[in-house]
Amino acid sequence: MLKLLFVPYRRCTRRMMTTLSQTKELFRRAEAVCFDVDSTVIKEEGIDELAKFCGVGDAVTEMTRKAMGGSMTFKKALTERLSIIRCSREQVNKLITDHPPQLTPGVRELVDRLHELNIKVFLISGGFRCIVEHVATQLNIPLNHVYANRLKFYFNGEYAGFDESQPTAESGGKGKVISMLKEQYGYETVVMIGDGATDLEACPPAVSVAVCQCKKQLQCDYSISPFYFVFRALSLDLAGMSSGRRSRRGLRGM
C-alpha cells in the first residue's frame, strides 16, 4: 500500500504513517496547496541537474543527499553546493533550453483540477527561481505564486552568489512563506506536499504536510515517481467535487 508520512497541525511533534485516503480528505478541505518542486512536481533535483551540466555532478549529489536528510542547515548546504558549481548565466539558460525540467506525470491534471475548484496553488522551492518559473508557466501557475531562490550574476554573466534574503534560502523558509500567505490571504487550511526535511519544517504553519516516503521505504520501480500515484489518486478524488463546495462556509461545515 502506498503511504505518506503525514504530520497533522495539532500533532506536529509526532510523525505517523497515514493512508492516501486520509490525504485525500486534506485536499478536499484545503484553501491553498503548496508544492515542493524538485523530485515532486518535477522528476529531477534541479541543482543536481545543473551540477551535472557543469561537470561537477557527483560532488553536488552527495551534498544534496545530506541536505535532504537534514544533517546540515539548508543555507550551508546551498552555499557549499553553489560554490562547487559556480554556474554562469549562460550555462543556466542553456540547461533550461536543452534539458528543460520534466513534469511528474499526473501533476498537470491535479493542478488543473485544483484551479477549477478555486484552490490556490503555490510553488515553494529551495531550488532556483529561473527553473521554477519555467515549471510554473507549464502548469499555468501565476509567477507571483512562486517562491524560490534567486541566483546572482555579474554583468559578464559569471556566478556572483545567491540572494540570501529570500526565505527559501533558510532552514524553515517554507514555513515562513506559508505564514506570510496565511496572513496575506486569510487562509485557514493550507496543505504542503513534498519529499524532504524542508517540507516537514513547514508544519506548522501549514495545517498539514504530506511527505512521500515510498522511494526510501518501498521496493518500487524507480523509473516511476511515487508522486505519480499520489497525484493521480487526488485528481480522481477531486473530480467529483464542484467549485460551489469550496466556499468557506461550506468548508467549515464539512
Side-chain angles (χ1 to χ4, degrees), residues 117 242-254:
L117 293 169
S242 65
S243 58
R245 292 177 62 189
R246 299 305 308 169
S247 68
R248 286 206 172 181
R249 182 176 298 175
L251 281 170
R252 289 173 181 170
M254 288 175 65

Side-chain angles (χ1 to χ4, degrees), residues 76-177:
K76 178 176 173 59
L78 183 60
T79 301
E80 292 191 10
R81 287 179 291 178
L82 285 173
S83 68
I84 295 171
I85 300 171
R86 301 196 65 80
C87 53
S88 67
R89 180 186 285 113
E90 180 182 0
Q91 286 174 312
V92 173
N93 291 338
K94 189 168 177 57
L95 170 68
I96 295 172
T97 301
D98 294 355
H99 305 282
Q102 300 297 303
L103 294 177
T104 297
V107 70
R108 188 189 302 276
E109 293 78 9
L110 176 56
V111 171
D112 285 348
R113 186 59 187 143
L114 291 171
H115 283 155
E116 289 170 4
L117 293 169
N118 200 31
I119 301 172
K120 304 305 180 184
V121 179
F122 297 85
L123 300 180
I124 307 179
S125 174
F128 306 127
R129 188 174 182 92
C130 51
I131 296 175
V132 177
E133 284 187 347
H134 181 85
V135 175
T137 299
Q138 292 184 72
L139 295 173
N140 296 315
I141 295 172
L143 296 186
N144 66 342
H145 284 201
V146 170
Y147 295 86
N149 292 312
R150 295 179 183 272
L151 294 172
K152 297 194 296 188
F153 302 96
Y154 293 111
F155 288 114
N156 64 1
E158 291 181 356
Y159 174 71
F162 65 97
D163 184 355
E164 297 187 24
S165 70
Q166 295 297 311
T168 49
E170 298 273 3
S171 297
K174 291 179 180 179
K176 292 178 183 177
V177 172

Side-chain angles (χ1 to χ4, degrees), residues 35-83:
F35 289 90
D36 174 40
V37 176
D38 293 336
S39 298
T40 302
V41 169
I42 63 174
K43 298 177 181 179
E44 310 92 346
E45 286 286 331
I47 194 167
D48 289 348
E49 294 303 306
L50 181 59
K52 284 187 228 175
F53 191 78
C54 295
V56 290
D58 290 343
V60 171
T61 297
E62 175 61 18
M63 193 72 68
T64 298
R65 186 189 65 77
K66 292 179 180 178
M68 289 288 290
S71 62
M72 66 174 69
T73 66
F74 182 80
K75 179 179 278 190
K76 178 176 173 59
L78 183 60
T79 301
E80 292 191 10
R81 287 179 291 178
L82 285 173
S83 68

Side-chain angles (χ1 to χ4, degrees), residues 183-203:
E183 181 177 354
Q184 181 175 350
Y185 297 106
Y187 298 141
E188 295 180 5
T189 308
V190 178
V191 173
M192 179 77 205
I193 186 163
D195 73 328
T198 59
D199 304 300
L200 285 174
E201 291 172 348
C203 176

